[in-house]
Amino acid sequence: MAPNITQKPMQIASYIDHTILKPTTILADIAQLCDEALEHGFAAVCVPPYYVTEAAQRLQRSSIGVATVIGFPFGYSHYSAKVAEAQQALDDGADELDLVMNIAAFKDNDLAYLETEIDALLKVRGTALLKVIVESGILSEEELIRICDLYGHYPIDFMKTSTGYAEKGASVEAVRTMRAHLPGRIAIKASGGIRNYDFARLLAEAGATRLGCSASVAIVKGESGAQPGGY
């Protein structure tokens, strides 16, 4: 159930994957991210693969998940490389894998490749949650529906709107389209450009039950205003 508009912003905290994926991330950033997740009760932290072990150690006595990204940010690495990356992340302690689909293969209408890719990742994910990032901001509505139809046949846990690195991130319209065309067992994660509570609430009301945010603390404090770009 989405947060009611009358609820306090803090109540959206359980929807949030507190995220830092910038290439200049350092260990102190991971420590702060984990401390903030513990303080505010976020669903998970999402960190670069290099820092999974550190995050897992810091959060091992909590219920907060450790997510990382696979094939990030463009998704066009070979699926065998993604499998190896996923296996390493799991070995390092990741609970959740955010996989960037091969958008180039989709644009080239190579659906067989995408089927091979998702089959391979499902074989290694074990008990970890698997979220497929589809980069909705660079897709037409028709393309997004085709992707929903494709992945709707697989036991993925979430479809995720965006990496935050394309020219357009999450949108209410994309979340609504995904919710209308995915089976109910597949949840939706919105990410990319979620910088204030007002936008986060709209995405949740549209059907997202996870929100990937780097501005998580500002969101749970109820900060409003214009919605800038970026993760």
Side-chain angles (χ1 to χ4, degrees), residues 26-39 45 47 51-66 92-93 95:
I26 61 173
L27 195 59
D29 296 326
I30 301 300
Q32 179 178 346
L33 191 85
C34 293
D35 288 346
E36 290 171 345
L38 290 166
E39 178 182 355
V45 297
V47 301
Y51 290 115
V52 167
T53 299
E54 178 68 23
Q57 290 174 348
R58 287 181 173 274
L59 297 172
Q60 62 182 333
R61 292 183 177 85
S62 77
S63 61
I64 297 168
V66 176
D92 290 344
D95 305 300

Side-chain angles (χ1 to χ4, degrees), residues 5 8 23 33 36 41 62 70 75 89 99 129 138 144 150 163 168 172 178-179 189 192-193 201 203 209 216 220 227:
I5 59 172
K8 295 180 180 179
L33 191 85
E36 290 171 345
S62 77
I70 306 298
L99 166 72
L129 294 181
I138 59 174
L144 183 54
L150 171 67
T163 62
K168 181 179 179 181
V172 171
M178 291 160 69
R179 187 65 283 155
K189 176 178 173 179
R201 176 178 54 79
L203 292 165
T209 54
S216 314
V220 298
Q227 176 215 339

